[in-house]
Every structure is written in C-alpha cells, then in structure tokens.
Amino acid sequence: MEVINGQWFMDGIDWNDPSCIHSAEQLLDVIEKVGFMPLFSNKLHGFSVENMTDPKCWWTGDPNVDPWEWREVLARTGKVAYGKFFKNKAGFISKKWFPEFANYKRSGYDFDAAYEDGKVGHKEKLIMDLFWPEKGEIWEAKDKVSLFSFEVKDKAGFGKNGEKNFEGTCAKLQMSSYLITKDFQPRQNKRGESYGWSIAIYTLPEYLWGYKHVTKCYKEKPDESYNKIVRQILKHFDGEPKEIPL
C-alpha cells in the first residue's frame, strides 16, 4: 500500500485471479500453512494479505469479503495471534509458529527477567504489570486478563499529565511478542448497548495458548529460531532474508 498524490493505492490482485483469497477462512488456511502473514505489503513481494486480495474489497465494511474486517474475525478465533509483529506493522502469526517467534524476539527472556536485565523499559513495565503474574504465581491459576486498549492506557497511567507514547510502547511490546490483540469490540454504554468503532482488546499470548506452549522454544538459541522462521517464509515466497519484515 502506498500514497500517491494524497490517494491510497493497494497492491493486490483481481478477484478472479486463481490465487486471490476471498474469505477469512481461506486466509486462516494460508496463515496456518505459512506461519506468518503481514497485513500490508512490504519489501518481500507477495508476503502480505494485501498482495493476496482484491483492492476493491478493502474497507467496504462487509466481513464476508473485506480483509480489513478479517483481522477482527481471525483474532477472535484463538487460532492465530494478531498484532504489530512485523517492523511495527500489523499481521498474523499461527499458533504453531508463535513459540519460535517468541524465542527469537525475547531471546529466551520472560518479561519480568527482561525488565530486571534492562532489556525493556519502565513504560513497558507499566503496561505489563496489568497482565504479567507476580513472581511465584502460577500461570494457570491467574485470571486470564484481557483489557480494551483504552483501559490499558488509563490503568497504566498514560495520556494527559501522564506517560507519553502509549501506541509506540504497545507496538514495542507486540514486536517483542509479549502482547497481542485477542479481539476487537465496540464500547458499551451504561445500558450495555454497543456504540462506535471496534476497539482492540489486549492480552498475553500465554493467556491465549498457555505458558508452556509459548515458551517451549526457550531451550533453543534465538538465532536458531530466526533461521527457522526465515526458511519457513522463504519456502513460500521468493526473496532474501533481509527483505523479511521481522
């Protein structure tokens, strides 16, 4: 996707092209086959939802054909993780491949250990304190926390007269695999009626798939996980490792 003379242009394919994806279900099949899928085009040609769909279908508001709506549909299935995983850009990672991504991005560090070693900062901790269990707590025994993005912003002390760069901090946590979007839902008024745009709901991948699954590749060196990811993507798309937006 690019902007030319103030207008957006999508880099997709015609609906009648045999390789065109027509539904969220078809997209899920592709994500589970490849393991990784950015939402928008990047330097690795073909490696995005945008490249595989008809530009005319975007932002129509019809979840049957609109790839922008599919991100909501797929996020709530629990079968893939959605977030800003690809150089601060949104996309999907399958359940099977998420442990490799987590090991590569975390270098085998849980969040609390990463903070103690100075690998993440104070702003990230303000957000993660809302989700991450205290030392000694058992993951399975803790309530599975999920919060609207505006709730995270408020509870973590961002915004007016508070910490700055909330969106950037959330993106950094997603790029590091510590935070994901599990759903999108509109706000509700006091009568329980929905209104407005759908808003991201954040949680931890550990709450979605379990701590043991997410961390099962910690025994590997991060470079090993990186190389596995690169080989997997390049099995399906022609290019070079440096073109993959990781």
Side-chain angles (χ1 to χ4, degrees):
M1 182 172 62
E2 60 181 336
V3 180
I4 301 176
N5 295 327
Q7 293 185 330
W8 291 98
F9 289 89
M10 303 291 291
D11 183 17
I13 55 179
D14 186 83
W15 178 270
N16 295 315
D17 189 303
S19 62
C20 184
I21 295 174
H22 297 139
S23 68
E25 291 77 15
Q26 290 180 354
L27 176 57
L28 178 60
D29 289 342
V30 173
I31 296 167
E32 292 187 324
K33 179 181 179 180
V34 177
F36 307 86
M37 190 58 60
L39 194 59
F40 296 114
S41 60
N42 51 79
K43 291 183 178 180
L44 185 60
H45 183 69
F47 180 50
S48 73
V49 178
E50 178 182 350
N51 294 142
M52 299 180 179
T53 54
D54 189 331
K56 296 188 295 294
C57 293
W58 283 79
W59 296 295
T60 61
D62 182 354
N64 291 311
V65 298
D66 186 349
W68 181 246
E69 299 293 327
W70 296 347
R71 80 197 198 290
E72 298 187 17
V73 174
L74 295 190
R76 67 176 61 104
T77 66
K79 296 181 178 181
V80 296
Y82 178 78
K84 293 183 177 179
F85 304 132
F86 304 98
K87 290 191 180 296
N88 293 325
K89 302 298 183 182
F92 304 92
I93 301 176
S94 72
K95 178 180 179 179
K96 176 181 177 180
W97 279 93
F98 197 88
E100 298 287 3
F101 180 79
N103 185 51
Y104 163 53
K105 288 294 187 175
R106 299 180 183 184
S107 296
Y109 280 83
D110 280 345
F111 181 81
D112 50 0
Y115 180 72
E116 289 177 2
D117 279 11
K119 295 183 177 296
V120 292
H122 174 65
K123 290 183 180 182
E124 289 93 322
K125 188 175 189 300
L126 290 174
I127 292 173
M128 290 297 289
D129 278 348
L130 303 175
F131 298 94
W132 198 269
E134 296 289 339
K135 283 188 176 180
E137 287 187 357
I138 300 174
W139 276 95
E140 288 76 10
K142 184 175 176 64
D143 292 337
K144 295 184 177 182
V145 180
S146 60
L147 296 168
F148 279 102
S149 59
F150 66 84
E151 292 178 308
V152 176
K153 183 176 183 178
D154 179 60
K155 292 176 182 293
F158 285 76
K160 187 176 181 181
N161 301 322
E163 299 288 345
K164 308 300 182 184
N165 194 28
F166 173 71
E167 294 296 336
T169 305
C170 287
K172 185 175 182 180
L173 286 169
Q174 291 171 77
M175 276 293 296
S176 301
S177 84
Y178 291 119
L179 195 66
I180 64 171
T181 300
K182 66 167 289 186
D183 200 355
F184 293 84
Q185 294 291 338
R187 293 175 184 252
Q188 291 187 336
N189 61 27
K190 294 181 179 180
R191 297 187 296 274
E193 299 168 337
S194 299
Y195 68 94
W197 298 100
S198 293
I199 299 170
I201 297 176
Y202 291 138
T203 192
L204 307 185
E206 286 86 349
Y207 293 148
L208 182 64
W209 293 320
Y211 179 82
K212 289 183 179 179
H213 177 77
V214 172
T215 63
K216 70 179 183 179
C217 292
Y218 274 13
K219 62 183 180 294
E220 299 178 4
K221 294 181 179 179
D223 284 349
E224 291 179 32
S225 289
Y226 171 77
N227 289 332
K228 286 182 180 180
I229 293 169
V230 168
R231 288 196 298 270
Q232 174 64 12
I233 294 172
L234 294 183
K235 275 172 54 178
H236 301 277
F237 301 93
D238 293 330
E240 301 177 8
K242 65 181 180 180
E243 296 174 321
I244 299 175
L246 288 176

